[in-house]
Amino acid sequence: MKKLIVAVVLVLLGFSTLTFADYRDEILTLTKRMQALSVDGTGLDDSQRFDEIVNLTYEYTMLSFPEFATYLGDPRGQDRWTDNSAAMAQQRKQDAKTLLAALSNIDRDALLATEQVNYDLIFDRQKREIEGQQFPNEYMPINQMGGVQQNIAQIMTIAQPKNAADYARMIARLEKTPDVVDQTIDWMRKGMAAGITPPAVTLREVPQQIRNQLVDEADKSPMLGAFKKFPASVDSLQQASLKAQANAAFSEKVAPAFEKLLAFVENECLPAARTTIAIRELPNGEAWYAFNVKQRTTTDLTPEQIHEIGLSEVKRIRAEMEGVIADSGFTGSFDEFLVFLRTDPQFYHQTSEDLLREYRDIAKRADPELMKLFGKLPRTPYGVVPVPSYAEKSQTTAYYQRGSVAAGRPGNFFANTYALDTRPRWEMEALTLHEAVPGHHLQLALQDELEDVPWFRRVGGYTAFTEGWGLYSESLGVEMGFYQDPYSKFGQLTYEMWRAIRLVVDTGMHHLGWSRQQAIDYFMQNAGKQEHDVVVEVDRYIVWPGQALAYKIGELKIKELRAYATDALGEQFDIREFHDEVLGKGALPLSVLEANIKTWVEGKKNND
């Protein structure tokens, strides 16, 4: 997961059952208003017009993408899913061009300096969105990392129903699941006809993911978790009725739709899926990959340049790892040390509960250390929870799900408890610092709580910034008192190595023609991670071309800017002020971040 505030206010009073057609009419009204702004400006000055565009785009997004509204705590559309029909997909492409035309009709120089920053960010975003329209990502709506087989349960899980009407909307949403499944199948069939499918090797776990949702008893479905415990505002009679309706919706609508999806994936999709792995093997694939690289890294680096950076970083980190091995007193070779880390029982928990308990202990130890490094901390809490069982086998080691003040939802660090013998303790400190604090939770919660910025600055993301910060946060563990034993220190370097390897294998597979096995072998030779984790990671890079490049590129830029500020300011440098400046304006393209830090440094030099 990932659209703009309030010119038209739609308040859902009671229980609404608006159809896709009803929402299309509302969206058409917004589009017509945007078209007017792109032509005559409706008598508003440039600043007023820009504000109106921002407001209209928020409304458009909440109406068009109700799952996103769920994340943000907006009540609209909670009785339905996004309309992903071919007609609406085409309409959204045209609407994006309408928005760009409206933005182009604004005199940027007439805006205030703060408005110009906002203008530049949304204008650049729209240009990139339209440029990306030439690449049919919609033909591949399912892979092992996500799709309808996981997303419906995820959205139903994060919903925060407060009264009977909210529960009724959730039931109505469940009842519309067949529409989502049918649209997913339709797009995949289009992709199969065009020769654009995910690689077959990465789809191998998808049938089981679907089966995991087909529980024998409806009330055991993770989709219906909210119906197990009701707020006091829902009386007992209502509870019984709502539970019965939810169970019926699952049994009569959801389960048959998922059975249909399972039959399609097994009988049509998998047999037709391509045997190649690289995006360059798809139509216009080289341009597609170049676009992804630029989009994810927010730089003009070429795949070749990124590959070379990766090789250089692997070499540098490998030397540091060798030093840690020597300091540990281990007398064997590098490969033998990796075998030791992968196999010695001391490094593995025996139960999921113990694994989660240690993650929570690390997080609790990290919390008080934040005061040393940050002047401003978020008020949104976070938790440590297991990856859902229906997705754990093909899911990565961990991930973070952002919270929302508006939705009343905490952030969550999801830790994978599948196959405990592949979850070494020596990686847990680095992973916690990345996913929780000072990594993703700290950065994204601060962004969610930003004031006096347009909505898209609070929720928008740039992978290089967000994941670059997460990786940079791992290195802050040294200053926070972590990595005290050589194994945890090696774990931190393993995670940094992991991200450097990504630069090599992602560009290797998608640009240079590496095989999947070649990527796995390179990974295994240079990092201590277990083979299961490595295979899951490589398959992730295959279906998300270019995404994995952002981590190391972003981290290197943040470290470069810290070194610049430290050198330029000398004794004036304050690490807390630096971090507050990096995070204080939300996620940004790396070039904008760099300009901000340099402006901050010059201001400090002139004022102090």
Side-chain angles (χ1 to χ4, degrees):
M1 102 189 88
K2 321 170 199 157
K3 335 193 187 192
L4 287 163
I5 291 187
V6 274
V8 178
V9 179
L10 289 167
V11 180
L12 293 176
L13 297 173
F15 175 42
S16 169
T17 56
L18 294 178
T19 66
F20 282 148
D22 295 319
Y23 282 99
R24 287 193 190 112
D25 290 342
E26 299 289 349
I27 291 167
L28 182 60
T29 299
L30 296 176
T31 301
K32 287 180 178 178
R33 294 179 63 182
M34 190 71 75
Q35 288 171 334
L37 290 169
S38 69
V39 178
D40 60 19
T42 65
L44 303 174
D45 65 30
D46 290 280
S47 182
Q48 291 170 326
R49 206 167 347 131
F50 179 60
D51 188 54
E52 178 76 352
I53 288 170
V54 170
N55 293 343
L56 284 172
T57 313
Y58 177 83
E59 297 300 315
Y60 178 92
T61 301
M62 294 303 101
L63 288 171
S64 298
F65 306 101
E67 297 90 342
F68 192 49
T70 303
Y71 274 105
L72 298 188
D74 191 291
R76 287 167 289 186
Q78 298 310 292
D79 58 343
R80 64 188 177 89
W81 307 104
T82 296
D83 181 355
N84 280 321
S85 64
M88 280 305 294
Q90 186 58 40
Q91 182 62 53
R92 283 196 285 269
K93 289 182 178 182
Q94 184 56 49
D95 293 344
K97 295 174 182 176
T98 299
L99 171 56
L100 186 63
L103 290 167
S104 300
N105 198 32
I106 290 176
D107 180 2
R108 179 187 180 278
D109 294 336
L111 302 177
L112 298 174
T114 53
E115 292 175 324
Q116 289 178 349
V117 174
N118 297 332
Y119 177 89
D120 290 343
L121 291 174
I122 190 172
F123 189 85
D124 176 68
R125 188 186 71 179
Q126 284 308 115
K127 283 201 307 181
R128 288 186 287 111
E129 180 177 339
I130 292 168
E131 182 184 356
Q133 288 180 3
Q134 63 185 298
F135 307 114
N137 291 292
E138 62 270 22
Y139 285 170
M140 297 183 287
I142 279 182
N143 57 50
Q144 82 282 11
M145 299 302 299
V148 66
Q149 80 280 12
Q150 296 184 33
N151 296 347
I152 288 181
Q154 184 182 53
I155 294 297
M156 295 298 292
T157 300
I158 69 168
Q160 302 284 315
K162 298 177 177 61
N163 50 50
D166 288 343
Y167 279 95
R169 293 186 188 96
M170 292 179 70
I171 293 167
R173 183 174 250 180
L174 284 171
E175 290 174 340
K176 294 181 176 73
T177 298
D179 296 331
V180 185
V181 170
D182 287 345
Q183 289 171 353
T184 297
I185 292 173
D186 182 56
W187 279 117
M188 295 183 77
R189 283 185 174 139
K190 285 182 169 65
M192 289 155 56
I196 299 175
T197 73
V201 68
T202 64
L203 293 174
R204 65 191 182 279
E205 301 293 345
V206 170
Q208 188 57 49
Q209 291 176 350
I210 300 171
R211 286 190 175 90
N212 290 344
Q213 302 288 0
L214 292 169
V215 294
D216 293 332
E217 299 176 42
D219 60 2
K220 289 185 169 54
S221 168
M223 298 181 194
L224 304 189
F227 293 83
K228 295 183 183 302
K229 185 177 182 181
F230 290 82
S233 60
V234 184
D235 66 43
S236 57
L237 289 177
Q238 288 176 313
Q239 290 181 25
S241 175
L242 291 167
K243 282 182 181 179
Q245 291 176 61
N247 287 350
F250 180 87
S251 299
E252 297 169 14
K253 298 291 185 177
V254 177
F258 271 61
E259 287 167 356
K260 180 179 180 180
L261 180 65
L262 177 62
F264 166 76
V265 170
E266 289 190 320
N267 300 329
E268 295 185 49
C269 181
L270 272 169
R274 62 189 171 105
T275 57
T276 59
I277 60 169
I279 193 173
R280 74 173 193 170
E281 301 297 332
L282 297 177
N284 205 21
E286 290 188 8
W288 199 342
Y289 186 59
F291 173 79
N292 284 0
V293 169
K294 184 176 181 179
Q295 175 97 328
R296 294 298 192 175
T297 67
T298 67
T299 72
D300 292 322
L301 291 169
T302 66
E304 291 88 351
Q305 290 172 316
I306 291 174
H307 190 82
E308 290 302 316
I309 292 171
L311 292 173
S312 175
E313 282 292 283
V314 167
K315 182 178 180 180
R316 177 188 65 80
I317 300 166
R318 174 66 175 261
E320 290 192 41
M321 295 171 92
E322 297 277 10
V324 171
I325 293 173
D327 292 342
S328 75
F330 188 83
T331 57
S333 67
F334 183 86
D335 288 343
E336 289 170 334
F337 189 70
L338 296 187
V339 172
F340 168 61
L341 292 181
R342 289 171 181 152
T343 59
D344 196 291
Q346 68 175 302
F347 298 126
Y348 297 90
H349 283 292
Q350 299 302 307
T351 69
S352 299
E353 292 74 17
D354 286 343
L355 181 76
L356 292 172
R357 188 177 298 112
E358 182 166 355
Y359 273 127
R360 290 167 182 147
D361 174 70
I362 295 168
K364 187 57 65 177
R365 286 191 285 122
D367 286 339
E369 299 299 321
L370 299 176
M371 295 292 291
K372 300 175 183 177
L373 298 173
F374 300 90
K376 184 174 183 179
L377 297 173
R379 64 182 186 271
T380 305
Y382 70 96
V384 181
V385 297
V387 171
S389 59
Y390 59 79
E392 62 184 4
K393 184 176 180 181
S394 55
Q395 190 53 264
T396 53
T397 310
Y399 59 86
Y400 173 75
Q401 184 181 89
R402 67 190 301 161
S404 167
V405 171
R409 186 181 69 249
N412 273 318
F413 161 27
F414 282 83
N416 202 326
T417 59
Y418 174 80
L420 290 173
D421 58 351
T422 68
R423 314 292 173 196
R425 298 179 64 193
W426 45 260
E427 71 178 4
M428 294 176 69
E429 288 186 344
L431 187 57
T432 304
L433 300 185
H434 181 109
E435 301 294 350
V437 294
H440 287 329
H441 175 71
L442 179 65
Q443 183 256 312
L444 290 168
L446 284 171
Q447 182 174 348
D448 179 66
E449 297 169 19
L450 285 176
E451 299 177 352
D452 301 321
V453 297
W455 80 277
F456 62 87
R457 296 281 301 273
R458 295 193 296 272
V459 302
Y462 297 88
T463 311
F465 182 99
T466 301
E467 296 297 355
W469 175 262
L471 180 51
Y472 169 76
S473 295
E474 295 173 23
S475 69
L476 295 179
V478 176
E479 297 163 80
M480 297 172 68
F482 290 95
Y483 314 138
Q484 292 300 302
D485 66 76
Y487 307 119
S488 289
K489 178 59 182 175
F490 194 87
Q492 184 246 322
L493 291 174
T494 293
Y495 267 56
E496 189 178 6
M497 174 68 88
W498 172 17
R499 280 44 169 263
I501 288 170
R502 287 175 169 178
L503 303 187
V504 179
V505 302
D506 193 293
T507 55
M509 289 188 294
H510 292 294
H511 185 69
L512 300 176
W514 282 27
S515 69
R516 177 174 176 268
Q517 190 59 51
Q518 189 175 355
I520 291 171
D521 291 343
Y522 184 86
F523 208 135
M524 292 292 292
Q525 290 161 8
N526 288 285
K529 292 184 73 64
Q530 291 275 4
E531 185 172 4
H532 171 79
D533 257 6
V534 169
V535 171
V536 168
E537 283 295 312
V538 169
D539 287 347
R540 167 186 163 181
Y541 311 154
I542 291 171
V543 297
W544 288 353
Q547 190 270 352
L549 306 180
Y551 297 64
K552 173 57 71 170
I553 297 299
E555 178 228 18
L556 290 174
K557 176 57 68 176
I558 294 171
K559 285 186 172 180
E560 173 193 316
L561 293 173
R562 176 172 171 172
Y564 159 78
T566 302
D567 182 63
L569 295 175
E571 293 183 356
Q572 293 177 272
F573 179 78
D574 184 319
I575 189 60
R576 302 205 319 167
E577 290 183 13
F578 172 77
H579 287 154
D580 287 354
E581 188 64 28
V582 171
L583 299 181
K585 295 179 176 62
L588 298 167
L590 296 183
S591 59
V592 177
L593 173 65
E594 181 170 6
N596 285 351
I597 294 299
K598 290 185 175 179
T599 299
W600 171 73
V601 167
E602 290 306 310
K604 288 278 292 179
K605 291 166 68 174
N606 293 333
N607 294 331
D608 292 346

